[in-house]
Amino acid sequence: MRNNHYSGKLIRQAAVALLALAAFLAPAPMAAADRTGSDGGPSVITLPGATGAEGIAAGDGSTFFAGDLLNGNIYRGDVHKGTAKRFIEAPGGRAAVGMKADLRHGLLFVAGAATGQAYVYSLETKKTVAVYQLAGRGTSFINDVTLTDKGAWFTNSQAGELYFVPVNRHGDPGKVRTLALKEPAGALEKGFNLNGIAAVRDGKTLIVAHTVRSALYAVDPGTGSNRLITLTESSGAPVTLPYVDGIIVRGDTLWAVQNMLNQVSRIRLDRNLSSGEVREVITSPHFDIPTTAALFGDTLAVVNAKFTTPAATTFEAVLVDARSRH
């Protein structure tokens, strides 16, 4: 029996909780670089038939995967062709938020939001490889995922802990392990806590985004200890990341999606991952509560969740330049 109504209700309630975060904490945005496309290519890619959107992941070449927030269906598209179509029809009761594609093993890892679950799909057969009940249904929000050479790490926005799903050399997912985070990142506050996550330094360090605190933390995946990454503007003035959601890291550059501000901040990290400088803020007139992003060379594909448009009937990925060209 399909249970999309119950699942969708849980997700929408969680979205309302996210919108309830204190708006007065958000400072005035920095000067932004407004870009609507890359190299004259498509700027918007529609996910046909989607009833919601939240997660997106890079695949092979110009391929991307995106999820239907409310029913868990997975779309596959091409950022060069500007097209997308449904790829996996998820069983009833599932949801799809953050996701990552493990191309080495042909797997897609998907966070299941308020279901408390995580899903692993085969990119070849489109079948479910594994389902993990990481936390309680309706009392948790499994929000995002990142990959290392050894497996996948998931965040929970309602608990100060991470979950690790190991993958062996044959591509078989193993038994999940829970990592309790110490303070400061592990301390809970009202609202959405841990959100986006990225593995750096060959998986020796994790960076997590904390929505309520408008902050980033560097986490030791072995012990759960962590520290704040202090952020500044180019002038040296301290800055935070209000409404920070999904994050991507390449080299010493981190892109942080800030959903309610309709922007993505590009940050230069220092070697010790103790500080970072916001180099620019990326915006687009096509952004409508962006949540997560995938990186394709110098192009970001950012998915619109449209949390403030409950009657929305179309959902899409927006393509923007990942950095200024001047």
Side-chain angles (χ1 to χ4, degrees), residues 115-258:
T115 67
Q117 297 177 331
Y119 314 109
V120 186
Y121 297 100
S122 167
L123 293 176
E124 179 181 0
T125 67
K126 307 180 187 180
K127 302 296 184 182
T128 301
V129 174
V131 177
Y132 294 91
Q133 191 69 50
L134 301 180
R137 185 182 184 90
T139 60
S140 61
F141 198 96
I142 309 305
N143 207 329
D144 209 349
V145 57
T146 191
L147 300 178
T148 72
D149 288 341
K150 297 181 179 180
W153 286 96
F154 290 85
T155 61
N156 183 348
S157 295
Q158 300 301 318
E161 56 192 28
L162 304 177
Y163 312 96
F164 181 67
V165 175
V167 179
N168 66 21
R169 60 190 181 90
H170 302 294
D172 302 318
K175 185 178 180 180
V176 67
R177 173 171 67 90
T178 299
L179 175 68
L181 297 189
K182 299 175 182 178
E183 293 189 5
L188 289 180
E189 298 185 30
K190 184 177 180 180
F192 271 45
N193 292 264
L194 303 176
N195 198 326
I197 184 171
V200 298
R201 308 295 193 262
D202 296 323
K204 295 178 181 178
T205 301
L206 303 172
I207 298 177
V208 295
H210 198 292
T211 304
V212 173
R213 296 186 193 151
S214 308
L216 301 173
Y217 295 92
V219 176
D220 182 328
T223 66
S225 62
N226 57 86
R227 65 179 185 276
L228 177 69
I229 300 175
T230 59
L231 302 176
T232 63
E233 298 180 0
S234 57
S235 65
V239 67
T240 60
L241 293 174
Y243 304 107
V244 62
D245 202 321
I247 59 175
I248 302 174
V249 177
R250 182 175 67 185
D252 59 3
T253 301
L254 182 148
W255 288 266
V257 183
Q258 295 170 264

Side-chain angles (χ1 to χ4, degrees), residues 29-42:
M30 298 172 59
D34 187 351
R35 298 190 292 279
T36 60
S38 178
D39 296 327

Side-chain angles (χ1 to χ4, degrees), residues 267-288:
I267 299 165
R268 176 72 176 269
L269 299 170
D270 74 346
R271 275 187 194 176
N272 298 321
L273 299 178
S274 59
S275 65
E277 178 186 313
V278 178
R279 292 293 181 90
E280 72 174 316
V281 173
I282 301 166
T283 65
S284 167
H286 301 298
F287 283 169
D288 192 346

Side-chain angles (χ1 to χ4, degrees), residues 71-82:
N71 60 32
N73 290 340
I74 306 298
Y75 288 80
R76 182 171 65 182
D78 189 295
V79 295
H80 289 164
K81 297 178 181 178

